[in-house]
Amino acid sequence: MIRRLRRAVRRVYRSTVDLSHPARSPLGSAVVNCVVYEDGIRQPGDCPAEEAVRRVRKSGRGFVWIGLHEPDEAEFKGLADLFGLHPLAVEDAVHAHQRPKVEQYDGALFAVFKTCRYVEHEVLTATSEVVDTGELMVFTGRDFVITIRHGRHGSLGPLRERLEAAPERLAMGTSSVLHAIADQVVDDCLTVADAVQDDIDRVETEVFNESAGRAGRGDAGRIYQLKRELLELKRAVAPLARPLDTLANRTLPGVTAEVRPYFRDVADHLARLTDQIAAFDNLLDSILQAHLAQVTVAQNEDMRKITAWAAIVAVPTMVCGIYGMNFEHMPGLGWTYGYPAVVALMATACYVLHRSFRRNGWL
């Protein structure tokens, strides 16, 4: 009941995608938003990237934040030329499928993050998708932030709104946006890890639930599926350690000294998440071993039962085999009570064996 309630709460409070909101709409052009911020305040009106850059560089303060969703080379070429982005970083941003990293190119930073989302499901099966991943690329310079999102989740619209509600953070410059994005990515992964823990707890309960009998001993297929999905989460989380350490401890262009401690805080959260994922993996290994041990015990119990019944059936089989050999001179053939005596002897022997096996736990 508690797990169902937690799943329902996650559905209610999950960040929804409002396709009508310009900051979150993946429809139409790859450019979903282009906004100018001065002194942490969003300037009214949207304008093309060229006009936004001209306004920022003319005033000499603030920055422009451009958000894109899965741009192709032609759509991104104009922005790459406008901001002088390095061709290697542009190629990575367009084609995606990159490991999390932070690279420095000619005074600009290029960061790659893996985004994670928990896939809700009522019943975990051997083919259930539990963790869905996407990619988020961020270019930051002195006066610009460019975010490129790949996948249908990981929207930055809610994050942008939270930052706009705290202009003192945006006033710290483009590195504060990079920190907010990194922080949201790690927080989303923490949320996914908590949801995966519910699935692991459920499988663990079923494996060790003796009252549920053999049907409640879990399923190796579901355990392996959880391990595969946990590996997907690990691939998104583990490589983040090095980029965050770089952002927290090295002097990089655009990353101010006042923002650097915030990256260390995100790195601490990531370390906790990494330990949590490692603990989940070890726990799943233990659950799988316990499940396989229970399967072996169940097979041994079945073999003991089969062996006990075979021993019981062997007694009348042996007697019938002896008296079915068609010899003329055999003890008891001419006795009037020979047949009922043999039947009674077989029944008594079978009863004694059955009771002995029951007493020893074989039946």
Side-chain angles (χ1 to χ4, degrees):
M1 180 63 70
I2 295 177
R3 283 193 292 266
R4 292 179 181 175
L5 181 60
R6 292 173 65 179
R7 290 175 186 271
V9 170
R10 282 201 300 270
R11 292 192 187 101
V12 171
Y13 288 98
R14 187 192 308 158
S15 298
T16 57
V17 178
D18 181 6
L19 298 183
S20 65
H21 194 292
R24 296 190 289 271
S25 175
L27 304 178
S29 171
V31 180
V32 296
N33 209 335
C34 180
V35 179
V36 174
Y37 295 93
E38 292 185 5
D39 298 326
I41 305 299
R42 175 173 178 159
Q43 301 305 298
D46 292 335
C47 57
E50 294 83 356
E51 175 64 20
V53 173
R54 187 189 65 80
R55 288 172 52 185
V56 168
R57 292 179 177 173
K58 182 179 180 180
S59 65
R61 56 199 181 105
F63 61 91
V64 57
W65 184 352
I66 302 174
L68 300 95
H69 180 261
E70 297 183 352
D72 56 29
E73 293 183 6
E75 290 175 316
F76 197 53
K77 185 178 186 302
L79 288 177
D81 294 339
L82 178 64
F83 293 101
L85 304 180
H86 197 279
L88 291 177
V90 171
E91 182 181 0
D92 290 345
V94 171
H95 297 290
H97 304 295
Q98 304 295 317
R99 281 173 57 89
K101 60 183 179 180
V102 171
E103 295 178 343
Q104 180 180 346
Y105 293 101
D106 301 328
L109 288 181
F110 174 60
V112 179
F113 302 101
K114 285 281 190 179
T115 58
C116 297
R117 179 179 67 93
Y118 178 75
V119 181
E120 295 286 353
H121 48 269
E122 294 297 332
V123 179
L124 178 66
T125 66
T127 58
S128 294
E129 184 182 13
V130 179
V131 179
D132 183 27
T133 59
E135 290 187 45
L136 183 61
M137 286 80 168
V138 185
F139 289 92
T140 58
R142 182 183 61 84
D143 54 9
F144 68 89
V145 176
I146 303 175
T147 56
I148 303 100
R149 182 166 56 91
H150 291 266
R152 296 292 295 179
H153 64 278
S155 172
L156 296 178
L159 172 64
R160 186 190 293 264
E161 293 171 355
R162 291 196 298 271
L163 287 175
E164 290 173 357
E168 66 279 2
R169 294 184 60 185
L170 286 174
M172 297 169 68
T174 58
S175 58
S176 65
V177 177
L178 182 59
H179 160 261
I181 293 174
D183 188 48
Q184 174 171 296
V185 168
V186 174
D187 285 347
D188 289 345
C189 291
L190 283 167
T191 301
V192 172
D194 291 339
V196 170
Q197 184 175 9
D198 290 342
D199 288 327
I200 295 176
D201 291 342
R202 177 175 296 182
V203 170
E204 183 181 23
T205 300
E206 293 176 355
V207 167
F208 294 101
N209 187 5
E210 298 180 356
S211 62
R214 188 169 301 176
R217 288 177 178 167
D219 181 8
R222 291 187 298 159
I223 300 174
Y224 275 119
Q225 180 63 16
L226 271 179
K227 284 185 68 66
R228 284 193 294 267
E229 295 299 311
L230 194 63
L231 179 61
E232 185 77 12
L233 180 60
K234 185 177 180 179
R235 287 173 178 170
V237 170
L240 273 175
R242 185 174 179 181
L244 286 177
D245 180 71
T246 301
L247 291 168
N249 299 303
R250 286 182 54 188
T251 301
L252 298 173
V255 180
T256 61
E258 59 180 341
V259 176
R260 204 171 296 138
Y262 292 94
F263 284 110
R264 286 198 288 269
D265 180 68
V266 178
D268 291 340
H269 293 171
L270 180 69
R272 180 170 68 87
L273 176 60
T274 303
D275 293 341
Q276 189 176 8
I277 294 175
F280 288 166
D281 193 38
N282 293 333
L283 179 59
L284 283 174
D285 286 337
S286 300
I287 294 174
L288 181 60
Q289 293 299 322
H291 170 73
L292 295 177
Q294 288 181 335
V295 170
T296 302
V297 171
Q299 291 175 343
N300 290 337
E301 291 178 354
D302 292 339
M303 289 303 300
R304 286 195 300 179
K305 291 179 180 180
I306 293 173
T307 303
W309 284 111
I312 293 173
V313 174
V315 173
T317 301
M318 181 186 63
V319 174
C320 293
I322 292 175
Y323 278 89
M325 292 188 294
N326 296 324
F327 289 106
E328 182 176 356
H329 302 287
M330 293 185 67
L333 289 181
W335 185 29
T336 303
Y337 301 102
Y339 175 75
V342 171
V343 171
L345 176 64
M346 290 189 298
T348 302
C350 291
Y351 173 77
V352 172
L353 286 174
H354 182 272
R355 183 162 184 174
S356 176
F357 287 135
R358 286 290 298 271
R359 186 169 57 250
N360 292 327
W362 283 50
L363 289 176

